[in-house]
Structures are given as C-alpha cells and as structure tokens.
Amino acid sequence: MGNVAATLAQVCEAVRTAVWHKHAKTSFLDKVVNIAIGSFLSLKWLGEKGISEEERLKRLPSMRKSMAFLTHTAYEGASKKTWVKEERELPRAYGKGGPVRVMIHKPIGSIRTDLPMIVWGHGGGLNIGDFKDSMGAEVLAMVTKDGGPEFCWASVDYRLVPEVRLPEPNDDMVSAFLSLSNKDLAEEYGYSVQNMGLGGMSAGALVSGHAASVLGKMGKGPKFFAGLYPMVDPNMDTASHQLYGDMDACPGVWLRECWRWALEDEQGEVSEKALKEGSLLHADFKALAGSRALILLGDFDLLKDEGIKFGEVLVNAGLKVEVMSGCATHCMAHLCDAEVKRKMCKWFRETLSA
C-alpha cells in the first residue's frame, strides 16, 4: 500500500505542477509529457531532499531501467526509417579508460562518400540515459524530412556519474570524435572527416560543449556545434531556476544532485575550482572562431538563462551563433513550437549543406 500511495502522490503532484503552474503557460502536449515524466520516471524522487546517500544510490538503478524502458523503443522507431545503425567500440584516443561505445547511423541506401557527421551526446543529467537516444533520433530525423540533407551521426555512450566524475564523460566525447576522425572509418560509413560537428541535448550539450573546447585547443575542433537545451552551469543561480525548477521535465532538486555527483571529490566536497571547470561559461572557445553554433532553449526551462549566457560566451569567442527559444519546457520547444521547429531544422539543413 505504501508504494501505491507514493505513486499516486507522485502522479497528483505531477498533474498539479504541469496543469496549474503559476509561470509556465504550456501546450497540452507539454503538460502531458511533464505529467508522464513526473509519474513514471519521477526525477524528483531521485533528487528528494532528506534521504541518505545510500538510499539515493539504491534508487538510481531503477531510474536507469525506467529511462531505458521509456526511450529505447522510441529510439528504434525514430531511427529505423532513416538510418542503418551499427554499434562500434572505438579505441581510446583521449583521456583515461577503455574503448568508447558509439552507435553509428548511416542514411539508408546512401552511396555518398562525403556525408557530414554529427557526433552526438545524449541527455539525462549525466547519470541516466545511453546512446540509444530517442530524443536525439527524433530531432535529427526531423532534419531529414521534406528533402532535408543526408548525414551520418554517431551517438556516444559516454560514462555516467556517479561511477565517474567530470571530466571523464567529456573525455569520452573527445575520444569518440578523434576516433571517428579516422579516414578509414569515415570511408567505411561514407562521411567526410572534413565535415564533422558536435551536438547534444541537455547533459549531452554539456559534454559536447566541453569536448568542442578541448578539440579546438588541440587544433582539431568541430566544424559546427549544436547545443539543445544545454546544461551549462553548476551554480544554478539564475531567475529561470527559481521560476521553473519545479517542472518535472527537469526538476531542480534532481539537477542539483546531478551536478554534485559530477563534481564532488573523494571527501564529498565540491570545490570552487571544480565548479568553474564544470561550467561551460568558463570554457575557452576562441579556437572555434568562425564556426557555426546553435543554442536551442525553452521559455519555461530552468536552464534557459544559463543557455542565453552560454550563447553570449560563444559570440564573444567569435562563433557564428544562432540562439532560438520556444514556448515550452525542457527539451520540448522543437515539439511544441512550430516556428522554433522550422528554424531549428533550417539551421541544421543550412549547416550540414555548407
């Protein structure tokens, strides 16, 4: 009975927050998605205040199973009509650790040898999700419709926290990008190493952003970068965090634990140095000056304000940045705002065809 009561309480709270939110005036679809996440994934449950660290860690495996259940079937549906996919283990080319798993997607029936390649990071707060990324597949499938360009993309199965700490997930993205820059591998799948970019959603935009900075300083930077609803700064001190931190699509109580797991040291402390190094607001992007970049945000997303600041960092570094925001919560603007979807697809199509 206790579990049933707790589940009913989660559902009621999710409905209350989504339907009668004081500040977020969302669409019907957005409300449904927030209710579903709050009821069946319940990120707030993982970030619940007052529970022990032992209890939080006990909850994580079931959260990961729920995430896989919700996303893997959707990933198969979103990808099967557009791409042939193959799982590969790529040799470690940067940082510590073993091989890095990726899922490489090639357009069905393509015979081209010069396709663009997007190296992609999935969302999930750095602690849930994997390379079978339904949301990434859905976004990129949108780009291919109605005569959109052909391209390859590789979803990276970067390591998750708290099993590792930052910068290990970032290093996995760097390593994958460098391994995919191998000309023999590019020839096998039909993409050009001269036309490779980085992208990601939420936490995937964080690790892809840090990877872009590292690669740029190595002189091997991506040709373009796409950060969708980026997780940017561990300080979580902007107005949008206060206004929309209770939305179930990305609740602040959960996100704070995501950052803590990613940055804390062996003594369980998060230093000022770690906070600065974890933030994209302090990363160096000057080596990528002239490259194209997209920042996509949601008006009712707790990450909106830091996403705007991140866009300003890229502009100041000399990138050609387009920032767009739609009337939606976290990771929902491209689904709920037709004009934002159009502009997003236009950016990708122009960038991939350049």
Side-chain angles (χ1 to χ4, degrees):
M1 286 294 294
N3 289 338
V4 173
T7 300
L8 286 174
Q10 287 175 1
V11 173
C12 290
E13 175 62 18
V15 171
R16 185 198 65 79
T17 303
V19 176
W20 293 289
H21 197 276
K22 184 177 180 180
H23 304 289
K25 308 305 178 185
T26 57
S27 67
F28 177 76
L29 175 60
D30 208 333
K31 288 180 173 64
V32 169
V33 170
N34 271 270
I35 292 169
I37 293 174
S39 302
F40 303 112
L41 188 58
S42 189
L43 300 173
K44 291 176 180 176
W45 182 63
L46 191 63
E48 183 180 346
K49 295 181 180 180
I51 65 172
S52 67
E53 183 69 357
E54 181 182 8
E55 175 61 24
R56 206 179 306 281
L57 291 170
K58 282 182 179 179
R59 293 180 179 186
L60 183 58
S62 70
M63 190 71 67
R64 288 175 174 171
K65 288 180 181 178
S66 296
M67 181 71 166
F69 175 79
L70 290 171
T71 60
H72 284 185
T73 300
Y75 162 76
E76 295 295 336
S79 60
K80 68 180 181 180
K81 294 182 179 180
T82 308
W83 295 285
V84 177
K85 56 186 184 296
E86 183 178 8
E87 181 179 333
R88 295 287 292 260
E89 278 200 349
L90 303 179
R92 172 67 55 174
Y94 182 85
K96 298 179 181 179
V100 180
R101 287 199 309 169
V102 300
M103 189 74 76
I104 301 178
H105 305 74
K106 177 181 178 178
I108 294 172
S110 177
I111 58 173
R112 287 177 54 185
T113 60
D114 60 346
L115 294 170
M117 162 62 83
I118 305 174
V119 183
W120 184 264
H122 65 83
L126 298 174
N127 56 69
I128 59 176
D130 59 30
F131 63 170
K132 294 181 179 180
D133 179 14
S134 60
M135 299 193 77
E138 288 164 359
V139 164
L140 297 176
M142 288 178 181
V143 177
T144 68
K145 291 181 179 178
D146 302 321
E150 291 185 328
F151 59 92
C152 296
W153 65 288
S155 182
V156 181
D157 201 25
Y158 59 83
R159 290 169 289 176
L160 301 178
V161 305
E163 288 86 349
V164 300
R165 300 289 189 269
L166 288 175
E168 277 87 348
N170 307 337
D171 293 347
D172 291 350
M173 293 298 297
V174 175
S175 181
F177 189 94
L178 292 173
S179 292
L180 288 162
S181 299
N182 179 279
K183 291 184 178 181
D184 290 336
L185 190 63
E187 184 177 343
E188 181 180 347
Y189 289 97
Y191 64 88
S192 168
V193 298
Q194 304 301 320
N195 195 8
M196 293 177 59
L198 276 163
M201 187 176 291
S202 193
L206 172 73
V207 295
S208 294
H210 278 296
S213 173
V214 171
L215 289 160
K217 287 182 281 189
M218 296 170 63
K220 299 180 180 180
K223 186 176 178 181
F224 55 88
F225 170 75
L228 281 57
Y229 318 99
M231 179 177 166
V232 174
D233 184 44
N235 288 297
M236 296 177 58
D237 57 2
T238 65
S240 59
H241 276 278
Q242 298 299 317
L243 292 172
Y244 310 116
D246 57 343
M247 299 301 297
D248 282 282
C250 185
V253 290
W254 169 68
L255 189 63
R256 196 167 296 280
E257 294 303 316
C258 298
W259 276 118
R260 180 180 65 81
W261 274 342
L263 298 175
E264 68 181 5
D265 58 25
E266 294 179 356
Q267 287 72 45
E269 301 293 330
V270 178
S271 67
E272 289 297 322
K273 181 174 182 288
L275 288 170
K276 184 174 181 179
E277 290 177 349
S279 175
L280 285 173
L281 301 182
H282 299 286
D284 182 2
F285 296 96
K286 290 185 177 63
L288 302 179
S291 301
R292 292 172 62 95
L294 167 67
I295 304 296
L296 174 60
L297 307 170
D299 290 341
F300 310 128
D301 184 358
L302 80 171
L303 299 177
K304 180 182 179 180
D305 291 348
E306 61 193 64
I308 292 172
K309 290 182 179 181
F310 179 38
E312 292 169 354
V313 167
L314 297 179
V315 168
N316 292 335
L319 282 77
K320 301 174 183 176
V321 185
E322 186 165 351
V323 178
M324 56 187 73
S325 184
C327 187
T329 62
H330 187 62
C331 294
M332 291 297 295
H334 63 285
L335 297 172
C336 299
D337 190 317
E339 179 61 13
V340 162
K341 175 184 174 181
R342 185 193 67 79
K343 289 167 64 178
M344 179 197 74
C345 289
K346 181 174 181 288
W347 183 91
F348 271 108
R349 289 166 181 167
E350 289 178 351
T351 300
L352 294 168
S353 299

